[in-house]
Amino acid sequence: MSDLQRSVFKPQHPALSEIFEDVGESSLNVHIPDVPEIQDDDSSSASSASSVSSTGTVVPTPTQNLFARPQGFSRGRTLQPIPWTTYFERELYLPSKVESDVVYHAYLTSPVDKGPLFVMHHGAGSSGLSFSVVGYELRKRLPNAGILAIDCRGHGSTTCRSDSEPDLRLETLSSDLLSIIEATQSQMQWETLPPIILVGHSLGGAVITDLASTGKLGNSLLGYVVLDVVEGSAMDALHSMQTYLSTRPTGFASVESGIDWHIRTRTVRSSVSARSSVPALLIKDESHNETRPWRWRTNLAATQPFWEGWFVGLSKKFLNARGGKLLLLAGTDRLDTELTIGQMQGKYALQVFPEAGHFIHEDIPEQTAISLADFHRRNDRSALVLPPKVADLLKQGKKV
């Protein structure tokens, strides 16, 4: 034992000093650990001392980037468009088998295993990217779910030679939707259609209800969800539609200006949703207006001849079609008499979101996604446990 160690362990009481002196080094067997040296990564001693004195503090090296911003789109005060690749795995171009001049366009994230496929149809003047954010939120809750968001004819990137006067009759749009679903199955080489839930906003609600009422999807259809459209209020709103269209700008100086207009007017109340969906609504046409070259891709005023045909008979078809039914509204005042009676009879599920505007799925995508996920769970046939057949019980010798 060194002299220093002896001085440390030596008792201070004089009566014990002689005893301590007689104890051998082997008897004490005391180990004093070495104190490791602390290496300063920073040239500033003050910075290093602060890091060491804080319990559990990690001093990052320059390559760790612990305080770097996460990758993805910015949620700050920006009007920068968000690309579709943020939300979907691929886009599809699907030639029509009936009309050679029509090529359908859709965005797809494929279902996994036996997950459901949510087929989403937008409203008039909108596009499939209207469902970007709600689809993202939905897959957070149903990771196996697929999303097929379509552009109907005359909208988005779906093309046809007669774009100047597209055929937007309800029966045409309903047939188009079925064709897109079947063409997607063929292109993706699915042996059978996955379980399908149809989701439609406004005009899209009328289209998916019409398709559901035909029964052409067979047992693949689990149910359908209509977003903020009912026959009575829709027919009443048509009278003021031209007035509304006359108040819209005819064009914008940039895509960012278009996004800003949608947010400021509260047409879309979520900036992230607006940045995701609005760019697809505009197309650059400098011959239209040099100072505001970004005009509306779809001329809504030109669709007026089809408006009434979209919504006549909607309530009856919604109540009578097979499959689960969910109606999401921004206010109870939108319910007409037929749907009010049907709701009291328990023929469909109803949820109201008074904090949202007409674009419910864009204004409150998270709440909408929760409703869609819950709707799927209630109608998921794979979760059903059927009782054994009587014939099987008799074969087993059991009494019935």
Side-chain angles (χ1 to χ4, degrees), residues 152-204:
C152 80
R153 65 172 65 202
H155 296 70
S157 297
T158 289
T159 59
C160 58
R161 293 176 187 172
S162 56
D163 272 345
S164 57
E165 296 181 2
D167 178 8
L168 297 180
R169 291 173 299 165
L170 180 61
E171 54 267 30
T172 301
L173 299 180
S174 178
S175 176
D176 285 348
L177 180 57
L178 179 62
S179 297
I180 292 173
I181 294 172
E182 293 175 341
T184 300
Q185 177 187 0
S186 176
Q187 184 160 320
M188 299 305 297
Q189 298 181 348
W190 296 334
E191 292 184 5
T192 59
L193 282 174
I196 289 176
I197 292 179
L198 299 174
V199 182
H201 171 247
S202 196
L203 162 63

Side-chain angles (χ1 to χ4, degrees), residues 196-199 208-209 212 221-226 317-327 346-349 375-376 378-381:
I196 289 176
I197 292 179
L198 299 174
V199 182
I208 63 111
T209 300
L221 181 63
L222 296 182
Y224 48 99
V225 183
V226 172
K317 283 189 288 187
F318 176 78
L319 293 172
N320 294 337
R322 296 182 62 183
K325 306 168 182 63
L326 173 62
L327 178 61
K347 291 186 176 181
Y348 66 95
F375 178 73
H376 167 259
R378 293 196 301 270
N379 293 277
D380 182 12
R381 299 190 191 115

Side-chain angles (χ1 to χ4, degrees), residues 22-64:
D22 292 336
V23 177
E25 290 185 16
S26 59
S27 301
L28 285 173
N29 195 24
V30 176
H31 173 67
I32 300 178
D34 294 332
V35 179
E37 293 185 6
I38 299 175
Q39 300 293 334
D40 289 344
D41 291 333
D42 197 314
S43 58
S44 168
S45 59
S47 173
S48 299
S50 174
S51 297
V52 172
S53 63
S54 301
T55 304
T57 299
V58 177
V59 183
T61 63
T63 58
Q64 283 181 294

Side-chain angles (χ1 to χ4, degrees), residues 8 66 163:
V8 170
L66 293 185
D163 272 345

